[in-house]
Amino acid sequence: MTTGASSVRTVEDETDGAAARASGPQLRRRLGRADLRAVPEARRALRELLHRWGPGERSEVAELLTSELVTNALVHTDDDAILTATVSPSGLRVEVRDFVARGPRPRVPAAAEDTNGRGLFLIESLADDWGVCAHEVGKSVWFELGAQQAA
């Protein structure tokens, strides 16, 4: 199954690249079930992480995409989630892991004024790469921004 720019990957595929990405600062937060207060908290924490890494004009994009992933995990699952953002010399990788096997379904909103259904469309449009990684229990939805874009 292909989602976004990348295919579904197994946990083994995900962990192979984890050591390379973990070379820089990292944010890791547990998000409580259906606790939408986690959305602005995640944005604020990511902003602090990126500020320490170096200021830049694209951190707003990283914050927007992160809030979309967090919101999707909290609204479309009935469980906790884990947010991980890792900065490396090559850029930023943000992933939100939940514990529900059902994959995300990208869709275009029915009407221009409809505020729902834009999350994955924004991620697909603005991220350099994104995808879904299947885990034994649940999945991770992730995106990456290159260093020149995320800083």
Side-chain angles (χ1 to χ4, degrees):
M1 171 180 128
T2 301
T3 303
S6 299
S7 301
V8 174
R9 299 179 183 164
T10 65
V11 177
E12 293 76 28
D13 292 333
E14 185 64 11
T15 54
D16 288 344
R21 286 190 302 276
S23 60
Q26 186 176 69
L27 164 68
R28 188 167 171 89
R29 292 270 166 94
R30 188 166 216 34
L31 310 169
R33 183 173 86 188
D35 183 6
L36 292 178
R37 293 174 299 181
V39 177
E41 292 170 6
R43 286 180 74 118
R44 189 171 24 261
L46 183 70
R47 187 178 312 123
E48 289 174 13
L49 175 75
L50 293 177
H51 179 72
R52 280 185 254 135
W53 184 40
E57 66 279 351
R58 292 288 307 261
S59 64
E60 299 86 15
V61 171
E63 289 179 45
L64 171 66
L65 300 183
T66 299
S67 65
E68 293 297 336
L69 287 185
V70 169
T71 300
N72 283 352
L74 297 176
V75 169
H76 298 294
T77 67
D78 193 29
D79 208 337
D80 292 354
I82 299 171
L83 164 68
T84 305
T86 304
V87 176
S88 71
S90 63
L92 172 70
R93 180 182 174 97
V94 175
E95 67 181 74
V96 176
R97 178 171 183 188
D98 64 51
F99 302 93
V100 175
R102 181 181 66 250
R105 292 182 215 120
R107 62 186 173 100
V108 177
E113 63 275 355
D114 192 359
T115 58
N116 294 320
R118 299 185 191 281
L120 290 176
F121 179 74
L122 287 171
I123 292 167
E124 186 174 72
S125 299
L126 299 173
D128 291 332
D129 198 9
W130 78 281
V132 178
C133 296
H135 295 275
E136 191 171 308
V137 176
K139 67 188 169 302
S140 294
V141 182
W142 58 270
F143 73 85
E144 293 179 347
L145 293 173
Q148 70 281 5
Q149 295 173 318

